[in-house]
Each structure stands twice: as C-alpha cells, then as structure tokens.
Amino acid sequence: FADEHGNAWSDSFQIPLVVSGARIEEAGVEVIHDEDGDLQLSPGETGRIGVWGRNSGTTDAIDVYAVTSTTSSWITVSQCWSISPAGSTDWCDHESNACLCDGTGYSHDLAPGATSEREITRLELMIDAAAPVAPIPFDITFHDGLGNQWTDAFEVGVSP
C-alpha cells in the first residue's frame, strides 16, 4: 500500500470463503392446465405443468432458477416460463425439448428447508397422439446466483 506522501507498507490478510451448503431439488410437479380439465395429460393433448423446488441444504440459496429438458420423442415443449414468487411470468427460450430459463427473468430465494411458494418453472407440453400411457422422464438443473448447480429428475405421467 502507498499514500500520497510516498509512504509504503505491505501487509497480508485472509478472506474466508464459505462453500454453499444449499441443496436444491425438485419438490413437486403438477399438471396445472390441460385441454379437457381433468388435470391429467393424455395422448394427443396439450397441457401445462409446474415444477417446484426445495432447498434441502443448510444455507440460503439465492436467485434460484431452473433449466428442464426431456429426450422423449413423445412430447414437445412448446412454451416455457420462469415464475416469480409473486406469480408474474417471464418467457424462457425453448428448443429441442428443453426449457432454457437463464435467470434473467424471475428467480427465487430459498432458505434451508424451504419449498418455493410458486412453481420455479412452467412448461407447456404437447403429447403425441401415439404416446404410450407411461411416465415421460425429464431432467432438471437448478442454478443459483452464485453459480452453483444441482441436477435432479422427475416424470410426467401420461394417462389414458
């Protein structure tokens, strides 16, 4: 260090870093809208699902958002949104059956043990008319504002 009078000195210091103890996982998936109103997705139907997140870790998770995808050829992700804790929506990019929210829209802060009050992401899905009556697998990667990532998986059922 130096001052304006030419005096100089050196010193050292430490900055402790704390590793995040947050652990974000899928806390629930619900059909929140479908064409026939039975809240079950059927072959040939379009519907919307919401995905909630939970912090099962020991420290706060700040600015949590999610990226979801499926490799199933029986489903098409036609639209997707990030959802604010207050319920406002922001469009996310989607391509190749992935919902690519990037955290610039809405995100959630989750205390240890907390589940998001609203879905973290919402997807509009088109189920192929020839789809089997079987669960469709999805991958979800939660991200936070500190650059941490947690990967989980869930299934969306297809009913007759």
Side-chain angles (χ1 to χ4, degrees), residues 23-28 52-57 110-111 113-116 120 142:
R23 168 74 178 110
I24 309 303
E25 58 194 16
E26 175 265 313
W52 281 254
R54 173 179 45 247
N55 182 356
S56 62
L110 297 174
T115 297
S116 58
I120 287 181
F142 293 98

Side-chain angles (χ1 to χ4, degrees), residues 40-124:
Q40 297 180 6
L41 297 177
S42 303
E45 189 172 38
T46 297
R48 292 182 182 163
I49 63 168
V51 183
W52 281 254
R54 173 179 45 247
N55 182 356
S56 62
T58 58
T59 61
D60 289 347
I62 307 300
D63 295 333
V64 175
Y65 63 96
V67 173
T68 55
S69 63
T70 183
T71 57
S72 173
S73 60
W74 299 112
I75 198 164
T76 300
V77 176
S78 58
Q79 297 180 51
C80 53
W81 306 265
S82 59
I83 311 297
S84 79
S88 300
T89 60
D90 188 39
W91 293 98
C92 298
D93 291 334
H94 64 281
E95 58 185 50
S96 303
N97 277 353
C99 180
L100 307 172
C101 298
D102 62 8
T104 58
Y106 296 114
S107 59
H108 295 248
D109 296 341
L110 297 174
T115 297
S116 58
E117 294 178 24
R118 300 251 184 196
E119 63 264 42
I120 287 181
T121 190
R122 185 181 298 164
L123 293 84
E124 184 170 272

Side-chain angles (χ1 to χ4, degrees), residues 2-60:
D3 63 19
E4 69 268 3
H5 303 292
N7 299 314
W9 64 96
S10 63
D11 201 349
S12 64
F13 57 92
Q14 295 181 343
I15 301 174
L17 298 177
V18 178
V19 176
S20 174
R23 168 74 178 110
I24 309 303
E25 58 194 16
E26 175 265 313
V29 177
E30 290 183 22
V31 176
I32 55 177
H33 174 76
D34 67 332
E35 291 175 340
D36 63 10
D38 66 357
L39 297 181
Q40 297 180 6
L41 297 177
S42 303
E45 189 172 38
T46 297
R48 292 182 182 163
I49 63 168
V51 183
W52 281 254
R54 173 179 45 247
N55 182 356
S56 62
T58 58
T59 61
D60 289 347

